Amino acid sequence: MTNLQERGHLLTEQVNPNSLNLDQLNSLELVELFNHEDQKAVEAVAGAKVQLAAAIERTAERLHQGGRLFYIGAGTSGRLGVLDAAECPPTFCTPPELVQGIIAGGAGALLRSSEGLEDLAEDGESAIAQRQITQLDVVVGITAGGTTPYVHGALNAARQRGALTVFIACVPAEQVDFEADIDIRLLTGPEILAGSTRLKAGTATKLALNMLSTGVMVKLGKVYGNRMVDVAVTNQKLRDRALRILQDLTGLSREAAGFLLERSGTKVKLALLMQWTGLDKTAGEQLLTAHKGNLRVAVDSYKKDK
């Protein structure tokens, strides 16, 4: 195991030769440099596409069986996990417990830095125990430099409980080796501001989490085509989006789409099924439940039976 006290050799801690004169650049030069370096975040994610695809497939399998997805990290890594988890309920109408973000220091660490807590592996272990992680669950540990004891403790505890573990880091395995079921390395290189992993490393991590959660939700039937048919209609913007989805996919007028949405209890997926099958709300809900919420499968099944 790598000596966690000496970190100067880590890719994320090295000095970027392209930004040695950072403090002498004008604003436009700063922006151009950032833009150039940020391209490496996209390339880093592309380099981990096979591992990301495996994470999507295996996470969806666990969630199909009743499991949950947890992100765990400290500092920026933890905040990114909490952000991705928090965006799942409004986007995909998932219950809050399905995808959860855990950050060292708890909710207070989202607003105020509590970086010292990342050094406590036992706190990571406790976080896993508190949430009663089981073999159906998936735990994604996020640590840009790969060495965070809090994340290591959490993932080791999760593995002991039989959970699927995913390790996301921005350093190569030869610098920080860690045993997890899926090992995702986002190699973005040295930061413009040496060691500031909220920059390229954070950007690549956000991209990877976007892919992971969205990909899993697609596999869970939360999407029809490229429409978020499980969107939670909780404000005017989302109601407008719901109506446009119904209009586009059914050809109904806005008024008719609004009536259909209300009859469905403001559930876009159910409204579409009702329109395409002629079923009422109760029968439509039963059909969707029978097909684990997958609209396409439910509609195809109904048509085959007719």
Side-chain angles (χ1 to χ4, degrees):
M1 179 62 70
T2 301
N3 181 354
L4 302 186
Q5 301 302 314
E6 177 55 57
R7 306 180 74 254
H9 67 290
L10 297 179
L11 186 62
T12 52
E13 294 294 324
Q14 292 171 12
V15 174
N16 191 326
N18 296 328
S19 60
L20 293 175
N21 63 337
L22 186 64
D23 63 336
Q24 298 174 300
L25 300 180
N26 64 39
S27 297
L28 179 57
E29 289 170 336
L30 276 169
V31 171
E32 289 174 341
L33 177 59
F34 265 99
N35 184 244
H36 173 76
E37 289 290 318
D38 282 343
Q39 306 306 313
K40 297 176 183 177
V42 176
E43 295 168 3
V45 174
K49 62 185 179 182
V50 173
Q51 293 80 8
L52 279 164
I56 289 171
E57 288 287 341
R58 296 184 66 181
T59 299
E61 290 171 2
R62 299 284 179 118
L63 269 57
H64 261 307
Q65 298 173 44
R68 301 164 294 171
L69 170 60
F70 292 88
Y71 297 123
I72 189 160
T76 296
S77 295
R79 294 181 193 102
L80 288 170
V82 171
L83 173 62
D84 198 75
E87 290 175 340
C88 286
T91 307
F92 302 108
C93 211
T94 56
E97 61 271 15
L98 185 66
V99 183
Q100 300 181 42
I102 306 170
I103 182 171
L110 292 172
L111 300 176
R112 187 182 297 274
S113 174
S114 56
E115 314 296 70
L117 296 175
E118 71 179 56
D119 291 337
L120 303 175
E122 59 269 28
D123 282 5
E125 296 168 4
S126 295
I128 296 301
Q130 289 168 9
R131 287 159 181 82
Q132 300 180 318
I133 301 297
T134 75
Q135 71 275 9
L136 289 179
D137 296 323
V138 180
V139 179
V140 179
I142 311 168
T143 164
T147 63
T148 307
Y150 179 81
V151 173
H152 287 198
L155 287 178
N156 286 332
R159 287 201 69 187
Q160 290 173 7
R161 290 168 170 262
L164 176 72
T165 55
V166 181
F167 186 65
I168 298 180
C170 299
V171 293
E174 56 267 26
Q175 290 187 352
V176 179
D177 188 25
F178 188 80
E179 187 174 0
D181 296 304
I182 299 174
D183 191 355
I184 297 174
R185 304 293 175 139
L186 307 172
L187 304 182
T188 51
E191 298 288 2
I192 287 176
L193 181 62
S196 183
T197 52
R198 70 185 184 90
L199 302 178
K200 280 187 302 188
T203 299
T205 299
K206 179 70 170 89
L207 291 172
L209 297 184
N210 285 348
M211 292 182 184
L212 177 56
S213 58
T214 305
V216 168
M217 294 303 159
V218 170
K219 297 291 182 181
L220 293 180
K222 297 288 186 180
V223 173
Y224 186 90
N226 63 353
R227 308 304 179 95
M228 53 172 75
V229 291
D230 259 332
V231 62
V233 184
T234 54
N235 60 27
Q236 288 302 313
K237 177 189 76 173
L238 296 176
R239 180 179 175 80
D240 172 68
R241 182 176 299 159
L243 290 174
R244 285 186 286 108
I245 290 172
L246 291 177
Q247 288 179 268
D248 290 348
L249 294 181
T250 67
L252 292 172
S253 68
R254 191 170 180 86
E255 182 180 5
F259 180 63
L260 176 62
L261 185 63
E262 293 307 315
R263 284 198 298 125
S264 71
T266 65
K267 297 177 181 177
V268 176
K269 180 188 289 184
L270 178 58
L272 288 168
L273 184 139
M274 291 167 62
Q275 177 66 19
W276 291 336
T277 65
L279 295 174
D280 62 20
K281 182 173 181 287
T282 300
E285 288 175 330
Q286 292 172 346
L287 183 60
L288 278 173
T289 299
H291 294 284
K292 297 183 178 181
N294 191 305
L295 176 61
R296 190 178 298 277
V297 174
V299 171
D300 288 346
S301 173
Y302 178 84
K303 290 179 178 179
K304 286 179 182 177
D305 292 340
K306 288 300 176 182

